[in-house]
Amino acid sequence: NYTGDVLNFGRAVERFKSERANARKPPPHIAMVVVDDDVGVVNPNDDAEGGVGRRGLAGTVLVYKIAGAMAVMGGTLDKVKELAEYTVKHTFTIGCALNAASVPGIGMPRSLEDNEMEIGMGIHNEPGFETKTIEPARVLVPSLVRHIVDSLPFKKVSGGKTGRVVLLVNNLGATSNIEMGLVTKLATEATRDAGFDPVRIFSGTYMTGLAMPGISITLTLVPDGEIEGARFLTLVDQPAFCSGWTNHTHVEDAGCTDEAAQGPATHVMPARDAQWESVISTAYHSVVSAEPEVTHLDQVMGDGDCGQVLLSGATAIFEASSSAQLPLNDPPAALARISSLVEDAMGGTSGIIYCLFLDGLAQQLHHVDSSALTPRVWGKTMLGALETLYQYTTARPGHRTLIDALEPFARTLESTGSLTEALEAAIKGADDTKHMLPKRGRAVYVQQKENLADAGAVGLISVLKGIVSALQ
């Protein structure tokens, strides 16, 4: 619904009629539908006799899609028109942008400041209804969804009731994929928070303002009736093969029928245990003391974050233990929970190696009575956990990684039952990395420095020292 568009499409209709008449053919069966889904700029001066009306935005694409699907499935022109008009009436869009779009051969018609954004900007660079300081996406996106559902056009059609909707998140031309992913996530959550169920979600570049750095959000109300709603969604789901449409496959969740494939319960009851808490506290403070050395080693041979990453993981575990959030009376559950904390707190390769090892260790402990957890048994379960880890990494002893400290500790503990001897073996393994050629990790690409141990192995030693110190 732009004046120029309406006039030119109207002229196309009349020209077609004229050409048919000049060819002495019967009058054509033809109709025109105008899309006016914009709720960002609503003209208060429009009245019952008409007016400028609301602009057409990305909702136009949904109208094309649904009407086209009806036509492909054999609908008459009247049916197609009726469905298109329903979709227009029940579709609502708002857009925002960080700047206007540059027009080829002309340039920027106007510009926002670097710290500004405009709400309601049109795809032809028309001004929106508000220019404001840039907000975080977590604030902006919910406010856009709320603007739609609180708008008079939306309330008039919905009658204040909630229901199912089709959600379309549209790239106005110059928004990155990672930003689109974030906006889509937040828009989905905000739609649900507003009481609506987004039964279909589309995200992509559907209607642009050339290369405008912005997005628009569209909500289309699905018919209330079960049969009518199912028919409508069938048209939405009908594949379309054109460059302007990205198909999104929708598959109903059939649920899980295989009990063996079901995940475990994620809720466990926290419980305190003095020995576990002592081990965690001592290991944490050992990591704190070792962090500068680990960081230095990684700065020389890696990307410099190994010490901080390890400290982040140790801190997360220590804080959870200190606030009694861990099920310390249940070793497998405690290790599984610690693995989850490590996953959230530690990035990089070392983080996921710790996670896989802890996951494997938790699985091994499920087969052991907690009263039978002697040092030798712990060593055996650690070796089993290493086998789990080895399924996903080719790192082995001698490759200059933390495995060079972990494997000797587990093997020695299993064979001798002595924590002291196991720690000595781990320290020797870490020290031996000074003379190893890197075969895994970023250190492979860096020239070997004499007498510098692997940062990951040294970091693990700080953990093991804390554990052994607490248990002796």
Side-chain angles (χ1 to χ4, degrees), residues 62 81 92 120 126 196 245 263 268-269 282-283 325 412 423 453 460:
L62 283 175
K81 178 175 181 288
F92 311 88
E126 310 96 320
F196 293 87
W245 180 259
V268 291
M269 292 297 295
T282 309
Q325 296 178 20
T412 304
L423 180 59
L460 176 61

Side-chain angles (χ1 to χ4, degrees), residues 253-263:
D253 184 1
C256 180
T257 57
D258 184 356
E259 185 177 340
Q262 294 179 355

